[in-house]
Amino acid sequence: PDWEIVDVQGNQTLKRVFRFKNFKQALTFVNRVGELAEAEYHHPTLVLGWGRVEVLWTTQKIKGLHKNDFSMAAKTDALV
Amino acid sequence: PDWEIVDVQGNQTLKRVFRFKNFKQALTFVNRVGELAEAEYHHPTLVLGWGRVEVLWTTQKIKGLHKNDFSMAAKTDALV
């Protein structure tokens, strides 16, 4: 249950916070998720801070969650 | 006046949104700001989305803005 469903400006969104030892490791993770996003052509919002990355998946076209968002969440987990 | 001062959970914060043609260019900018942050050892929060990066500078130790935050904001502008 690491992912939760939250409301972001009216859009249902899958959200998980990943924690890291420092900024650099968090940035590396952002790049890995970015590569995945480009490969699948579905892009999350990523909030990068010191030692943490918040990943948010949603499908703006339907203002909510498509099964693809759940698939991307699982693929995101595999990048840790 | 591209930077604005906003309140983020009680901390005064410098915020600017930078816009890009696509996700990849936005990600490249995140990496450039990340390099700057590591070099100066002062780290922003970066919100990466499709074609946009929100940069937030604050100094948690004083729960607000230090002159260094303004300096980092100027250095961020120079990376565009």
Side-chain angles (χ1 to χ4, degrees), chain A residues 22-24 27 30-31 33-35 37-38 41 43-50, chain B residues 22-24 27 30-31 33-35 37-38 41 43-50:
Chain A
N22 52 42
F23 183 84
K24 199 168 185 177
L27 180 56
V30 165
N31 279 289
V33 178
E35 271 179 47
E38 288 287 288
Y41 220 75
H43 299 86
T45 296
L46 295 159
V47 184
L48 166 64
W50 199 93
Chain B
N22 53 41
F23 183 84
K24 199 169 186 176
L27 180 56
V30 165
N31 279 290
V33 178
E35 271 179 47
E38 287 287 287
Y41 219 75
H43 299 86
T45 297
L46 295 159
V47 184
L48 166 64
W50 200 93

Side-chain angles (χ1 to χ4, degrees), chain B residues 3-5 13-16 55-57 65 69-70 73:
Chain B
W3 292 88
E4 51 180 329
I5 296 177
T13 300
L14 279 176
K15 170 184 164 180
R16 182 174 175 185
V55 181
L56 299 148
W57 289 105
L65 294 171
D69 293 304
F70 293 89

Side-chain angles (χ1 to χ4, degrees), chain A residues 57-75:
Chain A
W57 290 105
T58 192
T59 299
Q60 298 203 343
K61 200 164 48 177
I62 60 172
K63 283 184 162 284
L65 294 170
H66 183 273
K67 66 181 179 183
N68 192 36
D69 293 304
F70 292 90
S71 162
M72 294 303 284
K75 287 176 181 170

Side-chain angles (χ1 to χ4, degrees), chain B residues 5-67:
Chain B
I5 296 177
V6 298
D7 182 287
V8 180
Q9 294 170 330
N11 292 4
Q12 273 203 319
T13 300
L14 279 176
K15 170 184 164 180
R16 182 174 175 185
V17 178
F18 296 86
R19 302 205 177 267
F20 300 92
K21 279 197 304 191
N22 53 41
F23 183 84
K24 199 169 186 176
Q25 290 193 5
L27 180 56
T28 297
F29 183 69
V30 165
N31 279 290
R32 298 183 75 175
V33 178
E35 271 179 47
L36 168 69
E38 287 287 287
E40 303 277 342
Y41 219 75
H42 187 42
H43 299 86
T45 297
L46 295 159
V47 184
L48 166 64
W50 200 93
R52 74 191 294 282
V53 177
E54 197 174 301
V55 181
L56 299 148
W57 289 105
T58 193
T59 299
Q60 297 203 343
K61 201 163 49 178
I62 59 172
K63 284 185 163 285
L65 294 171
H66 183 274
K67 66 179 178 182

